[in-house]
DNA sequence: ATGGGGGCCTGCCGGC
DNA sequence: TGCCGGCAGGCCCCCA
């Protein structure tokens, strides 16, 4: 589910009730998600102060004063919901544990953070804050698309000589961090690039042009609080609304929104995943 | 190295 | 109503 904008939306929602706060109690209701939890995870979380809540790619990272960092990935269906009323502004006051509530963090300020994930493609781990970039899941991830390390030369290098479809290369987290199925489709539509085109055959100017488009799509989606299809909720339980701004994703058979274009949006399957595009606007 | 496919899970929706 | 196939925002791992 969650791509960079959704994860960033969750992080922003959690930060006001988690940063600077002590985890008074952590409850872990099963031994694993996608992978086993680290040994004694509940004990290693309980009593720790959250110094900072960060995001790297699609991971949420909570630095603890124990010198460890809690890493959280939402997978396809993961949510982190706030309950309780620490700041006097949240609706969900009396939570009853629900199915698939796997981990709960009770903060000193009275907020409860519940990690719920029906499909359990999500993950949690604890890693040393120092040298965390060596962690298996973080090592080799490409630059943040909204950061200074990302630019035309990054894509140029990744695209050159590649016969894989441009869509696959943009989905590759080693190339650039945080893009998923939705935002790659939307990016390629705005760029006018056919998703099946071989990456190495995209003209240099169009490759460079992808950079500001990727940033624009992601920034607009963050501004909208992410996209809510089925599962995604912000940390306060509200829906994101960027799904109303999709040009192609999920719009198979609908009219292309480009002025003057009479084509219908198509869906194809690439590497087992749906791709939506306009056959007329994207070449 | 690179590209493609399988698999991990649950839930929902449409068709019969 | 119920069953079945297909589909879903991710990503590791294995194979050719």
């Amino acid at each position: 589910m969650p791509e960079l904008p959704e994860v960033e939306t969750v992080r922003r929602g959690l930060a006001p009730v988690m940063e600077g706060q002590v985890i008074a109690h952590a409850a872990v209701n099963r031994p694993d998600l996608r992978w086993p939890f680290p040994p004694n995870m509940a004990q290693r979380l309980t009593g720790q102060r959250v110094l900072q809540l960060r995001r790297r790619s699609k991971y949420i990272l909570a630095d603890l004063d124990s010198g460890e960092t809690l890493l959280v990935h939402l997978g396809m269906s993961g949510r982190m919901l706030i309950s309780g009323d620490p700041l006097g502004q949240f609706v969900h006051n009396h939570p009853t544990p629900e199915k698939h509530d796997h981990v709960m963090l009770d903060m000193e300020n009275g907020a409860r953070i519940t990690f719920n994930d029906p499909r359990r493609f999500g993950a949690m781990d604890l890693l040393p804050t120092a040298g965390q970039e060596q962690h298996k899941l973080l090592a080799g991830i490409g630059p943040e698309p909204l950061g200074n390390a990302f630019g035309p030369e990054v894509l140029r290098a990744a695209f050159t000589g590649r016969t894989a479809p441009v869509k696959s290369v943009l989905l590759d987290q080693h190339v650039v961090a945080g893009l998923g199925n939705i935002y790659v489709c939307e990016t390629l539509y705005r760029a006018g690039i056919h998703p099946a085109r071989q990456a190495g055959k995209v003209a240099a100017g169009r490759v460079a042009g992808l950079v500001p488009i990727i940033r624009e799509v992601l920034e607009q989606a963050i501004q909208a609080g992410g996209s809510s299809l089925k599962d995604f909720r912000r940390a306060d339980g509200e829906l994101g609304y960027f799904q109303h701004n999709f040009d192609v994703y999920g719009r198979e058979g609908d009219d292309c929104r480009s002025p003057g274009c009479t084509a219908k949006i198509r869906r194809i399957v690439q590497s087992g995943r749906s791709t939506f595009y306009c056959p007329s606007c994207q070449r």
Side-chain angles (χ1 to χ4, degrees):
Chain A
M1 123 181 125
E3 306 180 32
L4 186 153
E6 289 74 36
V7 177
E8 178 62 18
T9 295
V10 170
R11 188 200 68 78
R12 291 183 184 184
L14 293 175
V17 298
M18 288 187 77
E19 283 188 335
Q21 286 293 319
V22 169
I23 302 170
H25 182 71
V28 179
N29 300 330
R30 53 173 298 121
D32 55 26
L33 290 169
R34 179 168 181 179
W35 297 291
F37 290 131
N40 307 314
M41 184 167 78
Q43 294 91 315
R44 287 158 75 183
L45 291 173
T46 297
Q48 296 304 315
R49 187 179 301 278
V50 176
L51 304 176
Q52 200 184 178
L53 207 58
R54 297 175 294 119
R55 179 191 57 75
R56 171 73 172 110
S57 190
K58 299 172 191 173
Y59 294 95
I60 291 173
L61 301 166
D63 296 333
L64 311 175
D65 58 2
S66 60
E68 293 196 297
T69 291
L70 171 67
L71 171 150
V72 180
H73 196 289
L74 301 176
M76 291 278 265
S77 56
R79 291 182 188 176
M80 292 183 88
L81 285 175
I82 301 167
S83 57
D85 202 13
L87 304 180
Q89 63 186 72
F90 294 106
V91 181
H92 310 280
N93 282 325
H94 295 95
T96 46
E98 291 179 21
K99 202 176 178 184
H100 308 307
D101 284 352
H102 304 311
V103 175
M104 299 199 253
L105 305 177
D106 286 326
M107 310 303 291
E108 238 176 16
N109 58 10
R112 167 174 286 182
I113 317 301
T114 300
F115 182 96
N116 178 288
D117 183 11
R119 294 178 70 181
R120 303 205 304 275
F121 288 170
M124 281 195 198
D125 202 0
L126 283 163
L127 45 143
T129 303
Q132 57 178 274
E133 52 284 347
Q134 268 78 255
H135 187 273
K136 194 178 179 187
L137 295 173
L138 299 179
I141 289 183
E144 286 294 319
L146 301 179
N148 292 332
F150 180 60
E153 62 292 340
V154 170
L155 292 185
R156 201 80 50 81
F159 279 41
T160 301
R162 292 286 291 275
T163 61
V166 59
K167 186 201 181 196
S168 303
V169 176
L170 289 178
L171 273 180
D172 184 349
Q173 302 299 296
H174 300 279
V175 172
V176 56
L179 293 177
N181 209 28
I182 291 176
Y183 298 108
V184 167
C185 289
E186 296 299 315
T187 291
L188 289 174
Y189 172 78
R190 294 191 190 191
I193 300 172
H194 195 292
R197 176 173 287 275
Q198 290 184 12
K201 293 189 174 175
V202 181
R206 306 176 81 201
V207 175
L210 278 167
V211 171
I213 293 172
I214 288 169
R215 290 187 166 136
E216 178 186 71
V217 168
L218 295 177
E219 281 167 1
Q220 289 175 358
I222 291 170
Q223 197 67 31
S227 303
S228 290
L229 297 188
K230 303 159 72 158
D231 300 318
F232 179 67
R233 290 292 185 284
R234 308 185 331 185
D236 60 8
E238 295 300 307
L239 299 168
Y241 52 90
F242 192 72
Q243 65 277 12
H244 302 302
N245 295 329
F246 290 168
D247 286 319
V248 289
Y249 189 86
R251 297 193 63 243
E252 180 181 19
D254 292 349
D255 293 338
C256 174
R257 294 200 165 124
S258 177
C261 180
T262 57
K264 308 282 188 194
I265 302 305
R266 273 191 204 159
R267 184 181 84 98
I268 57 174
V269 175
Q270 296 179 286
S271 299
R273 317 201 48 197
S274 289
T275 301
F276 300 88
Y277 71 104
C278 172
S280 174
C281 297
Q282 295 175 251
R283 303 291 176 151

